[in-house]
Amino acid sequence: MKMFEYMGKELFATFGLPVPRGRMVKSPAEAAKVAAEIGSPVVIKSQVLSGKRGKAGGIKFADDPEGAKAAAQELFGMTIQGLPVDIVLVEEKLQIDKELYLSITIDGSAKMPVLIASAHGGMDIEEVDEEYIIKKHIDVELGMQDFIARDVVRRMGIPLTSTHAQELIKVIKSLYKIFTQKDAELVEINPLVLSGDKVIAADAKVTIDDEAIYRQPDLPWVEEHTATEKAAHDLGLSFVELDGDIGVMANGAGITMGTLDTLTYYGGKPANFLDAGGGTGEEGTAKALELILARNPKSIIINIFGGITRCDDVARAFASVKKNIGIPVPVVIRLVGTNQEEGRAILKEVGIEAYDFMQDAARKAVELAKVQ
Amino acid sequence: MKMFEYMGKELFATFGLPVPRGRMVKSPAEAAKVAAEIGSPVVIKSQVLSGKRGKAGGIKFADDPEGAKAAAQELFGMTIQGLPVDIVLVEEKLQIDKELYLSITIDGSAKMPVLIASAHGGMDIEEVDEEYIIKKHIDVELGMQDFIARDVVRRMGIPLTSTHAQELIKVIKSLYKIFTQKDAELVEINPLVLSGDKVIAADAKVTIDDEAIYRQPDLPWVEEHTATEKAAHDLGLSFVELDGDIGVMANGAGITMGTLDTLTYYGGKPANFLDAGGGTGEEGTAKALELILARNPKSIIINIFGGITRCDDVARAFASVKKNIGIPVPVVIRLVGTNQEEGRAILKEVGIEAYDFMQDAARKAVELAKVQ
Amino acid sequence: MAIIINEDTNVIVQGISGKQGLFHTKQMLAYGTKIVAGTSSSKAGTTIEGVPVYDNVQAACENHQIDASVIFIPAAGAKDAALEALEAGIKTVVVVTEHIPVHDEMIIVAYAKRVGAAVIGPNTFGIVSSGKCKMGIPPNQFFVPGPVGVVARSGTLSYEIVGNLTAQSIGQSTVVGMGGDRVVGLTFVDVLKRFEQDPETKAVVLIGEIGGNAEEEAAEYIKEMTKPVVAYLAGKSAPPGKRMGHAGAIIERGKGTYSGKVEALEAAGAMVASVPWEVGSLIKKVLDLDKQFNWEPGALRMREERLDR
Amino acid sequence: MAIIINEDTNVIVQGISGKQGLFHTKQMLAYGTKIVAGTSSSKAGTTIEGVPVYDNVQAACENHQIDASVIFIPAAGAKDAALEALEAGIKTVVVVTEHIPVHDEMIIVAYAKRVGAAVIGPNTFGIVSSGKCKMGIPPNQFFVPGPVGVVARSGTLSYEIVGNLTAQSIGQSTVVGMGGDRVVGLTFVDVLKRFEQDPETKAVVLIGEIGGNAEEEAAEYIKEMTKPVVAYLAGKSAPPGKRMGHAGAIIERGKGTYSGKVEALEAAGAMVASVPWEVGSLIKKVLDLDKQFNWEPGALRMREERLDR
């Protein structure tokens, strides 16, 4: 779950990590009010869950409340990468002496968190040379010890005896606390600004592990999905729309991808990616078919290799949907694995002969799509 | 630093560990007031830092405020193992269905914390057979995981599906939190009482690592030492009074013990144990001699083997004390190690020839004590 | 022979009385797995399918020699269950549970490393040493003994490919599911090393997918292997996955694409099938080669021509 | 030969610019210790006594091969300093600092165990491989090369006994201070094992004291040793130490007394001196025995009579 910048900064503040003065507003009038409270030039930042906000013109500056109001007015009318701007963050404009980069994320191949830092922060961090990027893996049993933070600061070229170094060490320790205590997948500050004696997080990017949301009741909830995606997600389905004309449903991300690859191999074009995961019941199957049919496919392939998913459950659900709702396009079903005989018997009752092999089912689905 | 029971229970309560209702008082009138607030039979417990309180009659029961007042009156007059009772704790009298034992301390030979539990708690835990004592070492990097607490509860014979088990698991986890977060050397609950559905800590013994007090500013301060011991301790001296007539000062616990052993070997009787530790300056040396002289010794042996302690520092301090304050009994000094030549030269100026070997110095000190 | 588990492996099922645990205990027993104990605090003291049930792993270990555990405990308790098994000295722990928080997974994996144990998963279908022992959830009928080691990231796709191999009379020594999560215990390299050492395994199938850099790392080790490797990578025509902000980009730096992975694997001498069922025919060629030319280490990767693509 | 450190050991001094660090750096250099670097954030970039000073251990490791560290950092920062050295891959870490919180000590020791490093201390005088390398604070003049390994709990008492040995022309292979705190890294047993393996060490002196059960554990290992052990235990006539409530009593259960320790050591075949300077004469007998009777493993402990007591 991605958090809006203003939420990330609120979270930072509760961990003692310095952020600019300011707050989020939902109207131009409020923006003017906050700018007046701040009493100095401000920055007005659109709050959308997209990384390209700056380049898209989603960040504006103003010298006074009037200007802040006008800037906010402009932003509230905008759409950035398809996302409407409903919230803006009004903050003091920082004096920027230097921009650093700091983040902690998970390195799957090392199986541990990795702290990434650079003295060359700012918008184009991805373009910075490897030699200026400092990476330090963190042993989860050892945790973030002072010496680790200190060494990273040293490698950033900040003299350890400086005030900045002392502040940065605190920032790194706080950031790691947020990362572990809040089940984050990513905490990122870019830029982390040196401003006079101070070190201030001028941005905040925080992503919480979706699997751990249940144990983070204090965090705000951010809905990233469209209504359709959310409905699918709630039923344990993973759904992505594609450009083709063959509806696809399979169980497991790998086999779903394999099914797409196979359809493509035979010259077909998938209309969607739909991974029904392990064990989807009747409601899930009905919803899955509804999502697939909404793409107006010419044929549908259902590819089930039962493991934790049981073939009879899938067959029963499918048969029920077919009987009660009806399916207006030809459906090819491949069904093997756990309880396959029971499943095939159920399908036979609704007039469907299941395939043994994916390639045969896929070839048939492609043929059917061409015929229609 | 040992904490009074009432302090331990306050600490327990802040970690959500259940303790009896009640509070500490400093007068019989207050005791009556607390008993009235509680509104049921109470127990009145003298607050002294001694383990033998119960057997010494330091715990009384009362059915009403009048009785509580009378009981407190008695306790405030008492002295338990030399310690006057200045504070009592007035608490609800618990219905005791079963007494358990639970503690966490440090096992120096395993180099890790050890959780000790028994279903046979109560006053005589030290007498309980080994087979009823459960010991579980805790990996400090892994910490107190649920499964560890659960296994200990199982081994105590409490069914894991019971309410008691659920409560006990929480108690164990809280106790470990207190142990680690508060730098404890010992957290002990004896008895831990099963009372109806509840699990309640009927006693609390908490000892904080003296070396970590500086980073536990929230804990109350308990002064365990006598004024003399405290004065010695503040100067880095470790001082214990003994029964003999030869004053002893050495640097390091081991060599001080070795000096006592040597004096005893030659038929002498040490008047004290005084470990001046590493690097005691003039003030420390003066204080050390003052402590030693207060025992009215017939002779004094100073046994210094310099390492981190430098011989010239000791000699300078001693010479200064001798000149400025004077020492009324014969002093034998053994002085070798770091900067020994400088040290010996300084002693020579005040008319003292230092010995090379402990045995020679000790023999001389014994002789001198016999002559006097 | 086989890797990691075999016919002598004594298995405990953690969470034996839950819906999945119970169903798959029956399946595993039917496959021949030596399940000697199970845990369930609600059913402790009873037997389930003839298997004695205990309060916890420690209690089971007091009564049985246990070599491996398979975990069906729900996500919220899975970290504790895995640590419990590891702390009890069990050296092979298969975590079937999905949806475990990634911070919990890092803790499990770090502790396993410290105690020198192998964790398979989380979010894995498990492991099958064909004809000997199954720990996990794959359907029984597709796994038959033979010379091919299989290691995979995704579950159902592995059944698909194993099913295809079996249909072509190509049996498997051991099939290992690494688990689909970002942080898992055994990796491709760990499993490949074991296959390389296993005399029964003559060739290895690696089933990967787009995203991450597990396949690139596997390629590094495949360079050193003497046994032929056939790979299939899912996702040639799939939509790109989500990225983890700038930090993710910095870590991956161009890795994770389909073409990058294929390139790395082919450069290391592996053959890459373009669709799942092509794996069987490539393995057949490889094993025929083996017979015809008296297989020598490294011989295959020097062949210039690509097989029937 | 010697144990743990020798003339080739490259040493770093953590906290080289503090009062103790500076003084003992001079002393160690004078003894011949190969100090290749020091740390001090205030003096980084300078040299102290010719030793280059760095911000931290990592920076020093970027410029030097470092084998061992000796730590003079004050208690509040000592845990961090020790973990830093261990994380940097340094396999011998001597923590001279005293007054370190015991929870910090447990963390240091656990991490050292995990990374396979030896921690000496905390609260130790250090270690001297006589004539080769000194890490720590003992006075230089008393440590001369020879056949006796010494391991001790307390500092000054060790100097006392080593001084006595040297005065009797009995040199030392290595002298190790385990440290006086309740939780320390290397124990008697760890050090005895190394002496047992060291060809240069012909006999071992163990300097213990009352309290705890380190001597009882040592006795268990001494049973297996082929080399003779002479012990001195301080505290025969000392007042009893404080006890840790019931829990401490449960753990110790009768261990820790002077007589119990003497009994355990003598039963294991060690000779126990009753006063510190008796150690030298016992060692002399032991080493003479060696020459006269062509020393055989275990011969000494079978002798019935006690030596000149």
Side-chain angles (χ1 to χ4, degrees), chain B residues 111 126 184 209 251 261 334, chain D residues 102-103 156 160 185 232 237 246:
Chain B
K111 308 173 193 178
E126 286 169 75
D209 179 7
N251 64 325
D261 293 350
R334 186 280 186 110
Chain D
V102 68
H103 283 264
T156 331
E160 175 69 42
Y232 168 69
S237 49
H246 296 298

Side-chain angles (χ1 to χ4, degrees), chain B residues 192-215:
Chain B
L192 176 60
V193 166
L194 302 190
S195 180
D197 267 0
K198 291 182 188 155
V199 174
I200 303 172
D203 197 2
K205 203 166 268 152
V206 177
T207 307
I208 305 299
D209 179 7
D210 288 332
E211 309 295 13
I213 299 281
Y214 76 91
R215 64 186 183 190

Side-chain angles (χ1 to χ4, degrees), chain D residues 37 128 189 275 284:
Chain D
V128 187
V189 175
V275 281
K284 268 192 167 166

Side-chain angles (χ1 to χ4, degrees), chain B residues 101 103 105-109 111-114 116 123 125-126 128-130 133 135 140-141 179-180 183-186 188 190 205 207 209-212 214-215 240 242 251-252 254-255 257-258 260-262 264-266 273 303 305-308 310 334 336-340 357-359, chain D residues 19-20 23-24 27 75-76 96 98-104 106-107 109-111 114 137-139 141-142 154 156-157 159-160 163-164 167 182-187 190 209-210 213 217 232-239 242-251 253 274-277:
Chain B
Y101 173 88
S103 70
T105 187
I106 291 160
D107 182 348
S109 89
K111 308 173 193 178
M112 37 173 48
V114 59
I116 304 175
M123 286 223 288
I125 182 71
E126 286 169 75
V128 170
D129 256 21
E130 276 285 340
I133 302 281
K135 287 180 219 159
V140 292
E141 292 192 307
F179 179 73
T180 51
D183 273 309
E185 289 182 337
L186 171 73
E188 184 173 57
N190 187 28
K205 203 166 268 152
T207 307
D209 179 7
D210 288 332
E211 309 295 13
Y214 76 91
R215 64 186 183 190
V240 183
L242 300 172
N251 64 325
I255 200 170
M257 287 194 277
L260 300 188
D261 293 350
T262 303
T264 308
Y265 180 89
Y266 285 120
F273 171 99
N303 184 9
F305 207 119
I308 208 158
R310 299 178 212 162
R334 186 280 186 110
V336 290
T338 308
N339 293 3
Q340 67 177 22
F357 294 105
M358 162 157 81
Q359 54 268 48
Chain D
K19 190 186 167 208
Q20 296 297 341
F23 177 81
H24 289 289
Q27 295 285 315
V96 172
E98 57 181 350
H99 302 304
I100 299 179
V102 68
H103 283 264
D104 288 2
M106 290 193 289
I107 290 167
V109 167
Y111 187 60
R114 178 144 67 90
I137 60 174
Q141 66 268 42
F142 299 98
S154 46
T156 331
L157 184 58
Y159 311 161
E160 175 69 42
N164 251 286
R182 195 140 33 112
V183 171
V184 294
L186 291 192
T187 60
D190 297 323
E209 60 189 50
I210 53 170
N213 65 343
E217 290 183 345
Y232 168 69
L233 305 179
K236 190 178 186 175
S237 49
K242 66 171 178 176
R243 277 201 337 195
M244 295 298 304
H246 296 298
I250 290 171
I251 291 181
R253 289 243 171 184
S274 58
V275 281
W277 69 88

Side-chain angles (χ1 to χ4, degrees), chain A residues 221 223-239 274-276 280 283-291:
Chain A
W221 172 252
E223 184 54 66
E224 284 178 70
H225 300 284
T226 63
T228 308
E229 286 170 341
K230 186 168 156 26
H233 183 265
D234 287 351
L235 288 163
L237 309 172
S238 171
F239 181 74
L274 192 153
D275 167 15
T280 301
E283 196 193 351
T285 306
K287 183 73 202 174
L289 286 166
E290 186 189 304
L291 290 170

Side-chain angles (χ1 to χ4, degrees), chain B residues 60 63 100 126 128 137 194 233 250 252 260 275 283 330 348 371:
Chain B
K60 300 197 175 294
D63 289 332
L100 312 177
E126 286 169 75
V128 170
H137 286 98
L194 302 190
H233 183 265
L260 300 188
D275 168 15
E283 196 193 353
K348 223 169 224 170
V371 167

Side-chain angles (χ1 to χ4, degrees), chain D:
Chain D
M1 285 287 292
I3 67 167
I4 305 170
I5 58 172
N6 59 36
E7 62 274 33
D8 297 323
T9 303
N10 286 342
V11 173
I12 186 169
V13 178
Q14 286 180 256
I16 196 169
S17 67
K19 190 186 167 208
Q20 296 297 341
L22 183 56
F23 177 81
H24 289 289
T25 294
K26 289 179 195 169
Q27 295 285 315
M28 289 187 282
L29 287 168
Y31 195 77
T33 305
K34 252 180 91 180
I35 300 178
V36 297
T39 69
S40 158
S41 49
S42 64
K43 302 284 180 188
T46 70
T47 62
I48 288 182
E49 299 292 313
V51 174
V53 181
Y54 297 91
D55 271 320
N56 63 0
V57 175
Q58 196 57 52
C61 286
E62 288 164 9
N63 292 281
H64 305 273
Q65 159 65 30
I66 293 171
D67 306 309
S69 172
V70 55
I71 294 178
F72 290 97
I73 303 282
K79 177 188 80 173
D80 196 59
L83 296 177
E84 181 184 6
L86 293 165
E87 208 250 5
I90 296 176
K91 293 300 178 202
T92 300
V93 177
V94 178
V95 187
V96 172
T97 312
E98 57 181 350
H99 302 304
I100 299 179
V102 68
H103 283 264
D104 288 2
E105 294 178 323
M106 290 193 289
I107 290 167
I108 294 170
V109 167
Y111 187 60
K113 185 182 171 196
R114 178 144 67 90
V115 299
V119 165
I120 296 172
N123 189 14
T124 177
F125 62 83
I127 172 172
V128 187
S129 283
S130 295
K132 294 167 179 165
C133 183
K134 180 184 95 168
M135 293 179 69
I137 60 174
N140 289 349
Q141 66 268 42
F142 299 98
F143 295 79
V144 301
V148 178
V150 179
V151 56
R153 271 167 87 175
S154 46
T156 331
L157 184 58
S158 309
Y159 311 161
E160 175 69 42
I161 289 173
V162 169
N164 251 286
L165 290 172
T166 296
Q168 295 177 66
S169 301
I170 306 166
Q172 310 86 40
S173 53
T174 299
V175 178
V176 183
M178 299 190 330
D181 289 354
R182 195 140 33 112
V183 171
V184 294
L186 291 192
T187 60
F188 277 136
V189 175
D190 297 323
V191 178
L192 290 173
K193 281 183 179 166
R194 288 169 166 86
F195 280 135
E196 176 74 3
Q197 297 300 320
D198 175 41
E200 197 185 86
T201 302
K202 304 297 180 199
V204 179
V205 171
L206 181 153
I207 304 169
E209 60 189 50
I210 53 170
N213 65 343
E215 291 76 10
E216 286 85 344
E217 290 183 345
E220 281 304 301
Y221 176 70
I222 290 171
K223 285 182 189 164
E224 301 170 26
M225 284 179 72
T226 61
K227 294 180 183 176
V229 175
V230 172
Y232 168 69
L233 305 179
K236 190 178 186 175
S237 49
K242 66 171 178 176
R243 277 201 337 195
M244 295 298 304
H246 296 298
I250 290 171
I251 291 181
E252 298 200 350
R253 289 243 171 184
K255 289 176 181 166
T257 65
Y258 180 80
S259 59
K261 285 173 191 292
V262 170
E263 213 168 284
L265 286 165
E266 291 192 338
M271 285 182 292
V272 182
S274 58
V275 281
W277 69 88
E278 202 192 6
V279 169
S281 52
L282 291 178
I283 282 286
K284 268 192 167 166
K285 307 260 169 178
V286 162
L287 293 180
D288 282 343
L289 270 177
D290 193 4
K291 282 174 200 153
Q292 283 170 14
F293 302 120
N294 197 7
W295 178 258
E296 277 180 38
L300 186 75
R301 77 182 63 118
M302 281 177 278
R303 283 162 39 89
E304 289 288 323
E305 79 273 21
R306 300 283 301 129
L307 295 158
D308 78 344
R309 293 183 61 182

Side-chain angles (χ1 to χ4, degrees), chain C residues 3 6-7 14 16-17 19 33 39 57 62 109 140 151 158 162 177 199 217-218 230 242 256 260 268 272 280 294 303:
Chain C
I3 66 165
N6 60 36
E7 61 273 35
Q14 286 179 257
I16 197 171
S17 67
K19 190 186 167 206
T33 304
T39 69
V57 175
E62 288 164 9
V109 167
N140 289 348
V151 56
S158 308
V162 169
E217 290 183 344
V230 172
K242 65 170 180 177
V272 183
N294 198 9
R303 280 164 39 88

